[in-house]
Amino acid sequence: MLRWIVGSSLRLVALVAAFAGVILLLGITQLRSAAVDTYPEFTAPSVQVQTEALGLSAAEVEALITVPLENELNGVAWVDHIQSSSVPALSSVVLTFKRGTDIYRARQLVTERLAQGPGVAKVGSPSIMIQPVSSNSRVMMIALSAKDTSLMEMSILARWKIQPKLMGVPGVANVSIWGERARQLQIQVDPARLKRNGISLSKVIDTAGNALWSSPLTFVEASTPGADGFVDTPEQRLGIQHILPINTAKDLASVTFEDTGGKTLHVGDVSTVTEDHQPLIGDAVLKNGPGLILVVQKSPGANTLQVTKDLEAALNALKPGMSGITVDTRLYRPATFIDTALHNVGLGALIGLLLVIVALSLLLYSWRLALIGTVSIAVSLVCAAYVLFLCGVTFNTMVLAGLVVAVAAVIDDAVGDAVIFKRRFREYRESGSTGSLASVVQEAALDSRGPLIYATVAILLALLPIFMLTGVAGAFVKPFVIAYAVALGTSMVVALTLIPAMAIVLLPAGTTVGRRRSPLAHWGGTASGWSMPRWLRKPVWAYGLVVLLIAAGFAIFPQLGNHSLIPATQDRDLLVHWKAAEGTSLPEMDRITTSASDALRAVPGVIDVGAHVGRAINGDQEVTVSSGEMWLSIAKAADYDRTLARIRRVLDGYAGVRHDLVTYSADQLNIARATGARALTVRVSGCPGRTSPRSGLRQSRSGRC
């Protein structure tokens, strides 16, 4: 089989060379559009069901919503575990499925169970399922601020214009708004004025509800509005549409009460009618004061760079309608880190290629052999990356690590083949053989590839048990192994096809390949010949060195459990978990967070700071207003470690506020590790607040006091 493959390559030299050129061209051009991310998808498929219940305490949310939902969803197929969270006004139930479960089939099962179950008490909004998101879901955070536009007007623009536009971007799963202030016409009743005029509170509610087109209150007439109807004329039918006359607080205040005993009373006579916003469950803290923060989350497997590019294009399209509003996308933008990392990887690859060319030239002492080795290495790696691209693999830290580790084997294959070709040509020339040059090339290729095929198969078989790993470790190791195996396979194919074809073209019968010996190789051989007899005469030293290395390995092995084997990234977008004492009010939390943000902006090297407190509708945080997160960006030119130390000193100056400085990717990874390590079920009852999922326990969190 091998002889036929090599022989076919020698007969079809032009076709092999053209195919290699096409692979290089397609790889270099199309790999630019490959999906790129920091880490692979390391979380198991999950479905989150959120239920808003404004006004309910955490204990009421747990009793009336969370526990009934848990019972209703218990027993869904392929569920690994269920985790619930109850905070004031919000219930969150997360069903984590076994790895490999189709997420959309899992969502269908949950939807059917919610539809056919007994349901929960009608004390909140209908339960909704959050769209599936990536492991590193946050792809962009957008800060909106304005001097001449009110927060309510900006909230209306964000809710009805910006959010739908961003949700339409391919790859975007969810957009939540921190600090949203929905415009409301509020009736603030005065008990003394109600009593003086003989009006009950229920009458105010009925009158205000029936004055509207329709009302969500089931006990008022407006809950079931009738049709407006139509009028027929001799020529046409005219539809009747009721135009609501209530648009302002003054309009609502002029609504009259019914059945007041002949006395005309308006809503404004017994209350203060004003235009305001709903009670806030969270807020945004920006450089210029209060504002809005839009958190954009991406779908699993979405290309971070492409999604970011499309989001920025969508924002640019909205610019004409956002005059006076400042849009800041630097608050958190992981694409910046990925761009920097790709630039560094590309620069390192270019430097490495130049070093390989120099090393091959010095060792082989032949530009022909050096060219064969360099081209084979480049084609092998580009072909491996292109195969991964065609298979839809997202290029991340682990995939690149697998390719980098495989570079050693690829270079070894190329150098080994070049050395064998050099030796075979020298033997062919010295023996004066009349055989064809093609037969020499074929025998040289078979001489080098035969034993290495068995070695490659042995390596691949040894990697098979790794695919038995589960959890976070399996999610990280499998892309590494797949990239490594693909690179080994492409290197083998190149060695059997392209290298012989190049050899038959670049190494003609009259070439001087093999006549001159490299001075570097000569010096290395001399040094080896000088040292080896000494070691052979005293093997006890060699045995002692082996024993020392084995002892060092046993000493280092226990330390491996104390360090993460996952590559640490120097991400310049940082996250600060910010937790004040439970019961802290939103204004006080805003004041503390604003002070800390201003202090962090004064740190040399920090270019941007933004924060959000509490939570948002359909957001990824299930916390009270006493919790928040601050997001920092460090300048490229700043010293990373020194800036981190200064940031920690600033945070340590706020006594009574717990904080944790991490990168977003590391934070999500810690949560996933803790989720996979759960071994116990603990139901905690206490003051409302967030129990960290990094504790390693399966939790059902509540806020009962």
Side-chain angles (χ1 to χ4, degrees):
M1 184 66 178
L2 295 181
R3 187 176 298 276
W4 177 82
I5 294 175
V6 176
S8 300
S9 302
L10 294 176
R11 290 191 300 272
L12 304 172
V13 173
L15 181 61
V16 172
F19 185 75
V22 170
I23 288 293
L24 280 176
L25 180 62
L26 291 177
I28 294 174
T29 55
Q30 294 192 19
L31 284 176
R32 297 174 181 269
S33 60
V36 183
D37 208 339
T38 308
Y39 288 142
E41 297 291 340
F42 52 81
T43 54
S46 62
V47 175
Q48 183 180 14
V49 179
Q50 285 191 3
T51 308
E52 294 282 345
L54 185 63
L56 295 188
S57 66
E60 293 170 330
V61 168
E62 182 188 27
L64 298 176
I65 300 176
T66 304
V67 173
L69 267 180
E70 285 182 341
N71 295 331
E72 186 175 332
L73 297 173
N74 192 24
V76 174
W78 306 305
V79 170
D80 185 52
H81 61 268
I82 299 177
Q83 180 181 0
S84 65
S85 174
S86 298
V87 297
L90 176 70
S91 167
S92 173
V93 179
V94 180
L95 294 86
T96 302
F97 291 79
K98 296 178 181 178
R99 291 184 180 271
T101 304
D102 182 76
I103 183 61
Y104 297 104
R105 192 171 184 182
R107 290 173 62 85
Q108 180 182 359
L109 292 174
V110 175
T111 302
E112 293 175 353
R113 183 63 66 89
L114 289 174
Q116 71 184 13
V120 299
K122 295 183 178 180
V123 292
S125 302
S127 301
I128 63 171
M129 283 194 301
I130 303 300
Q131 289 293 322
V133 296
S134 174
S135 301
N136 292 321
S137 60
R138 293 200 177 189
V139 69
M140 181 180 287
M141 292 176 60
I142 306 166
L144 302 180
S145 59
K147 293 182 179 180
D148 302 326
T149 305
S150 69
L151 288 175
M152 277 197 292
E153 292 176 349
M154 196 160 53
S155 297
I156 294 173
L157 182 64
R159 171 65 181 87
W160 299 106
K161 294 295 182 181
I162 302 177
Q163 187 184 45
K165 181 70 173 180
L166 299 183
M167 285 293 294
V169 173
V172 172
N174 188 33
V175 179
S176 50
I177 306 173
W178 258 266
E180 180 181 5
R181 290 160 169 83
R183 176 180 176 269
Q184 294 179 341
L185 297 180
Q186 298 181 353
I187 301 176
Q188 302 171 359
V189 297
D190 185 347
R193 293 163 67 185
L194 287 177
K195 183 178 180 181
R196 186 167 56 248
N197 290 280
I199 301 296
S200 64
L201 180 60
S202 60
K203 195 172 189 63
V204 176
I205 296 175
D206 291 343
T207 301
N210 289 327
L212 303 177
W213 265 341
S214 62
S215 174
L217 303 177
T218 57
F219 52 85
V220 298
E221 296 177 4
S223 62
T224 55
D228 292 332
F230 57 87
V231 174
D232 273 336
T233 69
E235 290 82 16
Q236 64 182 124
R237 173 172 291 185
L238 302 176
I240 299 175
Q241 180 181 357
H242 175 66
I243 299 177
L244 183 68
I246 300 174
N247 293 310
T248 64
K250 184 178 179 181
D251 296 335
L252 184 57
S254 63
V255 173
T256 59
F257 290 101
E258 296 179 353
D259 302 327
T260 57
K263 182 181 179 181
T264 303
L265 283 176
H266 302 88
V267 173
D269 296 333
V270 297
S271 63
T272 301
V273 183
T274 183
E275 182 178 302
D276 208 339
H277 58 79
Q278 83 287 2
L280 295 179
I281 58 176
D283 204 358
V285 178
L286 303 177
K287 180 179 181 180
N288 300 323
L292 303 180
I293 291 180
L294 278 66
V295 175
V296 185
Q297 296 174 278
K298 70 184 183 73
S299 304
N303 185 354
T304 301
L305 294 180
Q306 186 62 43
V307 172
T308 302
K309 181 180 178 181
D310 293 342
L311 285 172
E312 291 173 344
L315 290 173
N316 288 331
L318 291 171
K319 262 185 181 178
M322 294 192 298
S323 59
I325 297 178
T326 302
V327 180
D328 183 8
T329 60
R330 299 178 304 168
L331 192 57
Y332 178 68
R333 187 181 183 274
T336 302
F337 168 74
I338 294 176
D339 285 333
T340 303
L342 290 178
H343 176 267
N344 294 337
V345 169
L347 182 60
L350 179 60
I351 296 175
L353 181 61
L354 295 177
L355 292 176
V356 166
I357 294 174
V358 173
L360 291 178
S361 301
L362 293 177
L363 290 173
L364 301 176
Y365 214 58
S366 168
W367 69 268
R368 299 173 185 269
L369 292 176
L371 180 60
I372 293 175
T374 303
V375 172
S376 64
I377 293 170
V379 172
S380 297
L381 294 178
V382 173
C383 183
Y386 191 54
V387 169
L388 295 173
F389 168 76
L390 293 178
C391 294
V393 173
T394 298
F395 286 83
N396 50 61
T397 306
M398 302 310 297
V399 172
L400 293 180
L403 294 176
V404 169
V405 172
V407 167
V410 173
I411 293 176
D412 180 71
D413 287 349
V415 173
D417 290 343
V419 170
I420 291 177
F421 275 114
K422 184 176 182 179
R423 187 181 71 246
R424 284 284 188 171
F425 268 79
R426 184 174 64 248
E427 294 173 354
Y428 171 76
R429 188 176 54 256
E430 292 176 352
S431 64
S433 174
T434 58
S436 64
L437 183 63
S439 63
V440 176
V441 173
Q442 186 176 25
E443 292 303 323
L446 295 175
D447 188 20
S448 62
R449 285 297 104 194
L452 288 180
I453 286 182
Y454 298 106
T456 303
V457 172
I459 292 174
L460 296 178
L461 290 176
L463 296 177
L464 286 179
I466 293 179
F467 288 92
M468 304 296 291
L469 290 175
T470 59
V472 178
F476 271 84
V477 174
K478 289 175 185 177
F480 173 89
V481 173
I482 291 174
Y484 180 76
V486 170
L488 286 184
T490 55
S491 176
M492 180 66 65
V493 172
V494 168
L496 290 174
T497 56
L498 181 61
I499 291 181
M502 293 182 65
I504 200 68
V505 174
L506 295 177
L507 304 177
T511 184
T512 59
V513 171
R515 294 183 181 179
R516 296 178 296 175
R517 188 178 184 185
S518 168
L520 186 61
H522 175 72
W523 295 336
T526 303
S528 176
W530 175 81
S531 61
M532 285 303 296
R534 295 174 178 268
W535 284 103
L536 291 176
R537 286 195 297 268
K538 296 181 179 181
V540 65
W541 294 105
Y543 296 148
L545 180 60
V546 172
V547 172
L548 182 62
L549 292 175
I550 294 175
F554 279 107
I556 294 174
F557 185 77
Q559 306 297 323
L560 295 178
N562 300 329
H563 302 279
S564 174
L565 299 180
I566 298 172
T569 58
Q570 198 178 80
D571 195 346
R572 292 183 176 266
D573 289 325
L574 302 177
L575 164 64
V576 179
H577 290 294
W578 196 241
K579 175 66 177 175
E582 195 59 56
T584 304
S585 67
L586 181 59
E588 176 63 12
M589 195 65 184
D590 283 346
R591 185 192 66 81
I592 298 173
T593 307
T594 301
S595 174
S597 300
D598 292 340
L600 290 173
R601 289 189 192 94
V603 174
V606 176
I607 58 176
D608 201 5
V609 179
H612 55 71
V613 177
R615 62 182 185 88
I617 300 295
N618 300 340
D620 58 353
Q621 303 290 308
E622 301 98 34
V623 296
T624 61
V625 294
S626 61
S627 297
E629 291 181 344
M630 291 188 290
W631 300 79
L632 301 82
S633 297
I634 300 178
K636 292 182 180 180
D639 184 271
Y640 191 77
D641 295 330
R642 184 177 300 176
T643 305
L644 285 183
R646 291 171 176 170
I647 292 173
R648 289 193 174 95
R649 283 198 296 269
V650 171
L651 296 175
D652 291 338
Y654 287 83
V657 181
R658 300 194 303 271
H659 62 268
D660 183 21
L661 179 64
V662 292
T663 64
Y664 178 67
S665 298
D667 181 62
Q668 296 300 106
L669 184 58
N670 291 336
I671 294 175
R673 284 170 171 168
T675 302
R678 292 190 182 103
L680 300 176
T681 301
V682 178
R683 185 173 293 276
V684 180
S685 295
C687 290
R690 184 184 184 192
T691 302
S692 172
R694 294 186 290 276
S695 61
L697 300 177
R698 179 178 178 179
Q699 306 150 6
S700 178
R701 296 168 288 175
S702 70
R704 185 185 297 124
C705 293

